[in-house]
Amino acid sequence: MLQQMRDGIIDGIIMLQQADSMWQMVDALARFYAGESVEPSMAPSPVWAITAETADQLTAEPYALVEGYQDQYKALWGTSSAIPEAKQLLNAMLVRPNQLQTTEQIATPVPEGKVIDWVVCGVPECAALTQPLTEAAEALGWSVNAIDGGLSPETVQAAWDLAVQNGNDAVVGTGFPSVMFATQLAQLEAAGVPVVQGYVTEPAGNGIIASIAGGDAVFTMQGSYEAQFVLGRIGTEANTLFLGGSVFPGMNTVQNGFEAEYLRLCPSCTFDALDLPGDSIGTTLPSTVVAYLTTHPDVNYLVLGMGSMLLGLPEALEEAGLDVRIVANFPNEVMLQQMRDGI
């Protein structure tokens, strides 16, 4: 079947090098005056076909074949702060996935009426997961019972004690390693109650049937993605402060992944990190960050180990007259609304 076409006489353009060929000419001269060899005959140009339906893609760089050609040439000449590899990696991330990781059909009927105990950690990112968990359960005719897990070892253990006492059909938790509730986990396993963990560094086992969005490799990749984002945005100008902490073990792995990728892509870029306690979120964290930035005025990017670290931070930065950019993992509703509002 032919693709649906717009009405009009001009149906397409075959794009070869045009504006970018002028930059290629200057590149040849630059190599001549730098005393380097000049390729007398370049390889045939690549090609890009544009239809009437895709013509809007030319708006950003009209008459150019290669996307981002100016930054790429400037990088070759040493006159640009852009890092081509980082920009390519960032561009790939800007495309939203449309395929689930899980694709295997369930072959037998799923029983209805199950109840999941949901141990909710004490940060907004965890609370934000209650609705999608509930919606998924309801799609199966199940229900969710939320239990406040807090942030301290005492509150986490109390929450898992309650899950054992409830005797429901399953337990789901996020963020905290199973060593914090090993006794309760063994009791649940003995009772035949499956447990699913998420956003932890440890693999499944010892009563945990699955570990979702977790494992060292996943957290390392999260840090790598943040590094690619920062360097894709501002290149070699980056001077970055990572806001980390040990309240969730995965955050250290995210930080390590960030630092490794950041320095791989930009060995000359400055990097530092703060280890912030969980109870500083929304309380003393903003003032701690402001104090650091006041004595390190060249920092131009903050990388947040988790979205809830944003609580009170933009307001504190504005009040102190500090101009930095921020990127974070795991958004919450407050963070999303601030992005929408241009804060």
Side-chain angles (χ1 to χ4, degrees):
M1 180 181 293
L2 292 175
Q3 183 178 355
Q4 182 66 36
M5 298 181 181
R6 293 180 182 174
D7 294 332
I9 296 174
I10 301 175
D11 191 43
I13 301 172
I14 304 300
M15 283 292 297
L16 302 173
Q17 286 180 313
Q18 192 170 347
D20 29 356
S21 67
M22 299 298 98
W23 283 66
Q24 193 170 23
M25 291 180 181
V26 174
D27 178 74
L29 292 171
R31 294 177 190 277
F32 174 84
Y33 281 110
E36 297 188 2
S37 61
V38 178
E39 188 69 36
S41 180
M42 296 294 178
S45 169
V47 64
W48 178 32
I50 302 168
T51 68
E53 293 78 26
T54 61
D56 291 343
Q57 296 178 25
L58 273 177
T59 302
E61 295 176 315
Y63 312 118
L65 170 66
V66 178
E67 183 179 5
Y69 69 98
Q70 294 186 12
D71 283 338
Q72 293 187 52
Y73 273 117
K74 288 178 182 178
L76 293 175
W77 303 340
T79 61
S80 170
S81 62
I83 303 173
E85 182 182 356
K87 293 202 72 169
Q88 291 173 3
L89 292 167
L90 172 59
N91 287 338
M93 282 192 286
L94 296 176
V95 179
R96 187 174 188 175
N98 59 13
Q99 178 64 56
L100 292 175
Q101 292 174 290
T102 304
T103 59
E104 184 177 351
Q105 184 79 31
I106 295 180
T108 57
V110 178
E112 296 184 355
K114 301 296 183 182
V115 179
I116 301 172
D117 273 344
W118 158 228
V119 179
V120 190
C121 80
V123 295
E125 288 90 334
C126 291
L129 299 176
T130 301
Q131 181 175 342
L133 177 63
T134 301
E135 291 170 347
E138 288 176 347
L140 290 171
W142 297 3
S143 62
V144 171
N145 174 53
I147 302 173
D148 183 6
L151 287 174
S152 70
E154 295 77 18
T155 58
V156 171
Q157 286 206 14
W160 283 86
D161 277 334
L162 184 55
V164 172
Q165 294 170 20
N166 287 345
N168 285 324
D169 301 293
V171 184
V172 171
T174 59
F176 295 111
S178 61
V179 67
M180 296 181 68
F181 48 90
T183 299
Q184 295 87 345
L185 188 59
Q187 293 172 330
L188 291 166
E189 184 178 18
V193 177
V195 173
V196 176
Q197 275 270 75
Y199 308 100
V200 292
T201 57
E202 61 192 356
N206 297 320
I208 299 172
I209 66 167
S211 180
I212 306 299
D216 281 340
V218 171
F219 285 107
T220 299
M221 284 191 298
Q222 288 176 16
S224 297
Y225 295 149
E226 287 188 311
Q228 294 162 10
F229 185 94
V230 171
L231 297 175
R233 296 287 276 178
I234 62 173
T236 58
E237 297 176 359
N239 185 324
T240 304
L241 177 66
F242 188 99
L243 305 187
S246 55
V247 61
F248 297 111
M251 203 181 303
N252 290 331
T253 309
V254 173
Q255 179 179 325
N256 292 338
F258 178 91
E259 184 175 5
E261 181 72 347
Y262 183 82
L263 295 179
R264 183 188 74 81
L265 290 168
C266 186
S268 63
C269 289
T270 304
F271 170 81
D272 200 2
L274 291 177
D275 187 351
L276 300 162
D279 59 8
S280 71
I281 296 174
T283 56
T284 60
L285 184 150
S287 61
T288 300
V289 174
V290 166
Y292 180 95
L293 295 177
T294 301
T295 57
H296 299 78
D298 292 334
V299 172
N300 53 22
Y301 233 109
L302 295 178
V303 177
L304 279 55
M306 55 195 309
S308 58
M309 289 179 165
L310 198 69
L311 294 173
L313 187 56
E315 295 82 359
L317 294 173
E318 183 177 7
E319 184 177 347
L322 296 168
D323 183 18
V324 293
R325 300 187 188 186
I326 296 174
V327 65
N329 280 323
F330 305 125
N332 55 62
E333 185 53 40
V334 173
M335 183 179 184
L336 291 173
Q337 189 58 51
Q338 288 177 324
M339 284 187 69
R340 298 185 192 107
D341 295 340
I343 295 177

